[in-house]
Amino acid sequence: DTEVTQTPKHLVMGMTNKKSLKCEQHMGHRAMYWYKQKAKKPPELMFVYSYEKLSINESVPSRFSPECPNSSLLNLHLHALQPEDSALYLCASSQVAAGVLTGANVLTFGAGSRLTVL
Amino acid sequence: KQEVTQIPAALSVPEGENLVLNCSFTDSAIYNLQWFRQDPGKGLTSLLLIQSSQREQTSGRLNASLDKSSGRSTLYIAASQPGDSATYLCAVPETSGSRLTFGEGTQLTVNP
């Protein structure tokens, strides 16, 4: 299995809702990532988990709360979002948990979750 | 800080043409460079990875080259097809950690 699976594919939520995005990989990768992508822009890194511990938080607002229950799963909990948070949220994973993207330690991306905040 | 630039931002070609997409980066101390393809509203698909010690990589009709000293990479697509229409992104990892620096992408349209 060489895939990163993200659910749901589409999510519409109000500003007072609480929802979660889920990501799963079964490649034995020990680093997992959340990226945010706005239309016609490159992805922007949000969080990095290494061996199920948060190693990078790119100063993301607390209304986004990541969770890594085990080495295969990554969640992004959403609460009190703003309309400007509407975007494509991409999950990725890589082999090496040290985090340095060298050699063959490349990112494998999921198909993304399209979030619309009303 | 690494900066990655892709030229052109958009490209429209007739089917069958050979084409070149360009990627330049400011810090030549890179471990590797990766080319991705992204279809509208979808995730990123890795096309080619070039290690810093390599000069080119090929996969089917795609050929990517890397010239570290000049801070450039090119993605050559031979005999383009309408199914090649997508946005192509290049990315390099920061030397100090987990961050990938992406270019803004080239939006390719191949017309039948």
Side-chain angles (χ1 to χ4, degrees):
Chain A
D1 187 352
T2 57
E3 286 188 345
V4 175
T5 304
Q6 291 188 243
T7 56
K9 287 186 168 42
H10 300 276
L11 178 63
V12 180
M13 59 186 291
M15 289 190 284
T16 58
N17 292 157
K18 284 186 183 180
K19 297 285 185 183
S20 297
L21 305 180
K22 297 184 184 301
C23 175
E24 189 168 4
Q25 57 87 15
H26 295 289
M27 295 178 280
H29 289 178
R30 303 312 300 268
M32 296 186 77
Y33 309 74
W34 280 115
Y35 280 81
K36 173 182 177 180
Q37 187 179 26
K38 302 284 275 185
K40 298 192 183 300
K41 291 293 184 183
E44 299 175 355
L45 183 64
M46 299 175 72
F47 302 105
V48 180
Y49 271 83
S50 174
Y51 283 110
E52 297 129 62
K53 293 194 187 317
L54 183 65
S55 62
I56 293 177
N57 177 342
E58 293 283 58
S59 302
V60 179
S62 59
R63 58 185 183 270
F64 295 91
S65 175
E67 179 197 21
C68 190
N70 60 58
S71 60
S72 300
L73 293 174
L74 185 66
N75 298 321
L76 186 62
H77 302 299
L78 313 170
H79 174 54
L81 294 192
Q82 304 296 312
E84 59 265 29
D85 296 321
S86 298
L88 181 68
Y89 288 84
L90 295 164
C91 175
S93 68
S94 66
Q95 275 185 333
V96 176
V100 178
L101 297 168
T102 65
N105 185 32
V106 296
L107 295 189
T108 300
F109 281 86
S113 293
R114 171 72 61 189
L115 173 66
T116 302
V117 182
L118 302 176
Chain B
K1 183 187 172 195
Q2 179 75 272
E3 292 182 5
V4 180
T5 305
Q6 290 188 247
I7 295 173
L11 183 62
S12 182
V13 300
E15 182 176 4
E17 271 205 8
N18 302 324
L19 56 99
V20 174
L21 308 181
N22 296 291
C23 172
S24 61
F25 45 93
T26 53
D27 184 352
S28 62
I30 61 170
Y31 292 109
N32 56 51
L33 184 143
Q34 200 167 0
W35 282 94
F36 294 91
R37 168 188 171 136
Q38 186 172 32
D39 293 297
K42 305 291 186 183
L44 277 67
T45 301
S46 180
L47 296 173
L48 287 164
L49 168 74
I50 311 179
Q51 309 282 7
S52 61
S53 58
Q54 297 175 318
R55 291 194 66 84
E56 52 178 66
Q57 276 287 330
T58 299
S59 176
R61 293 182 295 107
L62 305 179
N63 176 280
S65 68
L66 176 64
D67 184 344
K68 276 184 59 177
S69 60
S70 66
R72 293 182 183 178
S73 176
T74 61
L75 180 66
Y76 175 82
I77 303 177
S80 58
Q81 302 171 357
D84 295 329
S85 299
T87 296
Y88 291 81
L89 295 142
C90 65
V92 295
E94 289 187 359
T95 53
S96 58
S98 310
R99 295 169 182 82
L100 270 187
T101 302
F102 284 90
E104 295 276 322
T106 293
Q107 185 175 354
L108 173 65
T109 303
V110 181
N111 301 300

